[in-house]
Amino acid sequence: MRSVRARAALGATLVVAVALAAAGLAVLLVLRGNLTDRAGLEAEVTAREVAGELALGATYAELDLDDDDHPVQVTDEEGRVVAVSKDLEAVSGTGTAGVVPVSPAPAPGPGDDDDDEDDDGSDPPRSEVSSDSPDFTNGTATVDGEKADYRFAAVEVTTKEDVTLTVHAGAPLAAEQEAVNTVRTSMLTGLPVMLLVVAGVTWLVTRRALRPVEGIRRELAAITASEDLARRVPEPDSRDEIARLARTTNETLTVLEASVDRQRRFVADASHELRSPIASLRTQLEVGAAHPELLDLPGAVTDTVRLQVLAADLLLLARLDAGERPGRTAVDLGALVREEVSQRTADRIAPQVSVADGPLEVAGSRGQLARVVGNLLDNAERHAERSVAVTVRAERDEVLVEVTDDGPGVPETEQDRIFERFVRLDDARSRDDGGAGLGLAIARDVAARHGGTLTVGTAPSGGARFTLRLPLRLPGRERP
């Protein structure tokens, strides 16, 4: 039962079995009720015919009681049998003591005058058949030695002698019983066959529907074993849920492959960037150990600083890739920019700062945002010729920080690639002047994790203009 096909087949079979059993029971009950009502109607018709004869003044001997299919029994007010069908030998279900007539009262003869008044001058009693619904009962009757089940109808009649009689007439239930038994037998015979068909069809349909899933599973197992993320699972031609599952799986594999490739390139680029300062520092230390007078101490310090900066950048990128979320403290970007610029006393070009009035607070990590501003200033300082400008202002529900320079700018075709890791444009290839190519990548990642964006365009002076947009922190409203 661990198979989906087996569970689906069993579930469908159980549901169909319950539904068929309920439907079959309902059909049997309705069929039995209809046939019983039909037999009751036949019994009522026969009873009313006999009652009509009695109401018209027929004697008990003149009653037409020769129909073996509809046995009749007539009783008086005390429950004594006064007339029965010719071949009726025994009866049950009518509430009478027997079938043999017992001292019947004389019936009116043909010479009686129905229109004469009684001795006291009053009108003679009127004969009539009761218009009330008859009483129906089930019982048995033995007719000509054969016992069978019958549906009896009891109809009351008042004769001209003011005698109240009850006519019990029966209709056989053999047809009803035979029909019900036939239908029941057919259902009991057909139900297992139908359940087998349902189980088989469900099994085959489920197997066919799940066949692509098995193909997807096998391919994923092969990808896991081979570690080849370039492979893709087969996509069925259908437009159902399984086809969407296959497409989503392939999209996930594509993203995973890109992530793994990016991680591999990151490790390779990091190793390459670390190799040069480490090799240079080692060479200087070895030369200094052999010839102390030739030790380039400033160069060793510079290489050490480069290693420290690169290690800090790699550590920050690792934390960002691990999903580290920034804090929710309030940070005034205007004050942050002024503080960062005030600390850059050794810059070749002093940045010009312009901070607009009004609320300029954002929610986030002050240290990470300071890193973004510092990286943008470092980039502008590296490429500017004579001026670097920083502007902080509010626009709608955002805070904008724009850093511009008058350098060569960024070509439009390179404006997206410049934010990739370890990317340096052709005119900034020197590792001594161009850095490791991680500053802008870190800045964009930090901006994105603060709910903002970092873009690059062309400044009015022709240089680069980097625009940092972050959600404005309003009182009573949390940062999204």
Side-chain angles (χ1 to χ4, degrees):
M1 295 306 297
R2 296 182 179 179
S3 170
V4 175
R5 290 175 294 176
R7 291 198 298 269
L10 179 60
T13 304
L14 291 177
V15 171
V16 172
V18 173
L20 289 179
L25 181 60
V27 169
L28 289 176
L29 293 177
V30 171
L31 178 62
R32 174 174 292 176
N34 290 338
L35 294 177
T36 301
D37 292 342
R38 179 179 177 182
L41 180 60
E42 293 180 6
E44 180 182 359
V45 169
T46 301
R48 290 191 179 278
E49 288 179 354
V50 175
E53 294 180 15
L54 290 173
L56 292 175
T59 63
Y60 301 136
E62 293 173 347
L63 296 177
D64 184 10
L65 304 178
D66 293 337
D67 189 356
D68 293 341
D69 291 334
H70 299 87
V72 177
Q73 184 185 62
V74 183
T75 60
D76 59 13
E77 295 178 354
E78 297 179 0
R80 296 176 300 180
V81 178
V82 296
V84 295
S85 295
K86 179 180 179 180
D87 296 325
L88 182 60
E89 299 175 359
V91 65
S92 65
T94 60
T96 59
V99 297
V100 179
V102 179
S103 303
D112 293 338
D113 187 359
D114 296 338
D115 296 330
D116 292 342
E117 295 182 354
D118 291 343
D119 294 341
D120 58 1
S122 62
D123 292 335
R126 297 179 57 185
S127 61
E128 62 178 354
V129 178
S130 175
S131 60
D132 295 338
S133 298
D135 294 331
F136 293 101
T137 57
N138 291 337
T140 61
T142 303
V143 180
D144 198 14
E146 295 183 1
K147 186 177 181 180
D149 294 327
Y150 286 84
R151 179 73 167 174
F152 290 100
V155 177
E156 290 187 352
V157 58
T158 303
T159 64
K160 294 179 179 181
E161 287 74 26
D162 198 19
V163 177
T164 300
L165 302 176
T166 302
V167 179
H168 301 274
L173 295 176
E176 177 263 342
Q177 294 174 348
E178 182 179 358
V180 171
N181 290 335
T182 301
V183 173
R184 182 170 57 244
T185 302
S186 300
M187 289 182 176
L188 293 178
T189 303
L191 180 60
V193 177
M194 184 171 293
L195 293 180
L196 288 176
V197 172
V198 170
V201 171
T202 305
W203 177 275
L204 293 177
V205 171
T206 308
R207 178 182 180 184
R208 182 179 180 84
L210 295 179
R211 186 176 301 165
V213 177
E214 179 61 22
I216 295 174
R217 187 201 64 79
R218 286 198 300 267
E219 186 63 25
L220 284 176
I223 293 173
T224 303
S226 63
E227 298 183 359
D228 183 8
L229 296 178
R231 300 174 61 171
R232 296 294 181 266
V233 300
E235 296 185 13
D237 297 332
S238 59
R239 298 182 179 180
D240 54 10
E241 294 82 354
I242 297 178
R244 292 196 293 271
L245 172 63
R247 287 192 291 271
T248 303
T249 302
N250 285 335
E251 292 172 359
T252 304
L253 289 174
T254 300
V255 174
L256 183 60
E257 180 185 13
S259 176
V260 171
D261 289 342
R262 183 172 61 251
Q263 191 69 21
R264 289 172 178 171
R265 289 195 304 270
F266 175 76
V267 173
D269 292 339
S271 301
H272 182 71
E273 294 294 334
L274 289 171
R275 185 183 299 117
S276 296
I278 291 176
S280 175
L281 181 61
R282 178 180 178 180
T283 300
Q284 295 178 46
L285 293 177
E286 289 178 348
V287 170
H291 307 282
E293 70 279 2
L294 298 179
L295 176 63
D296 184 8
L297 188 58
V301 172
T302 301
D303 289 337
T304 303
V305 171
R306 285 183 58 195
L307 282 174
Q308 183 181 10
V309 172
L310 183 57
D313 289 343
L314 293 177
L315 180 59
L316 179 57
L317 284 175
R319 293 204 309 267
L320 294 176
D321 289 341
E324 180 182 283
R325 299 181 62 86
R328 289 181 174 270
T329 59
V331 180
D332 188 337
L333 283 185
L336 178 65
V337 169
R338 288 194 182 99
E339 180 180 348
E340 285 294 317
V341 172
S342 65
Q343 295 176 359
R344 303 177 68 88
T345 57
D347 283 355
R348 178 173 56 90
I349 301 174
Q352 300 176 359
V353 180
S354 175
V355 179
D357 296 332
L360 300 173
E361 285 189 350
V362 299
S365 169
R366 182 179 182 84
Q368 292 185 7
L369 294 177
R371 186 66 172 274
V372 173
V373 174
N375 288 350
L376 294 179
L377 291 174
D378 288 342
N379 182 77
E381 174 75 16
R382 186 178 300 117
H383 298 91
E385 295 181 0
R386 290 182 299 275
S387 66
V388 175
V390 184
T391 302
V392 184
R393 57 188 173 87
E395 184 176 284
R396 295 187 181 89
D397 57 349
E398 293 180 327
V399 179
L400 274 65
V401 178
E402 292 183 344
V403 179
T404 59
D405 62 69
D406 60 349
V410 181
E412 186 176 353
T413 57
E414 303 287 346
Q415 289 181 357
D416 286 334
R417 198 173 70 89
I418 196 174
F419 293 103
E420 296 179 4
R421 299 175 182 181
F422 298 105
V423 170
R424 289 186 291 268
L425 301 184
D426 293 339
D427 58 353
R429 286 292 183 180
S430 172
R431 287 187 175 83
D432 294 333
D433 299 327
L438 292 177
L440 295 179
I442 292 175
R444 171 169 275 190
D445 284 352
V446 171
R449 281 164 173 75
H450 281 74
T453 59
L454 178 61
T455 57
V456 62
T458 302
S461 61
R465 178 173 59 188
F466 288 86
T467 304
L468 172 65
R469 295 176 178 266
L470 295 174
L472 179 64
R473 184 181 183 272
L474 298 177
R477 192 186 76 174
E478 290 292 336
R479 178 180 61 87

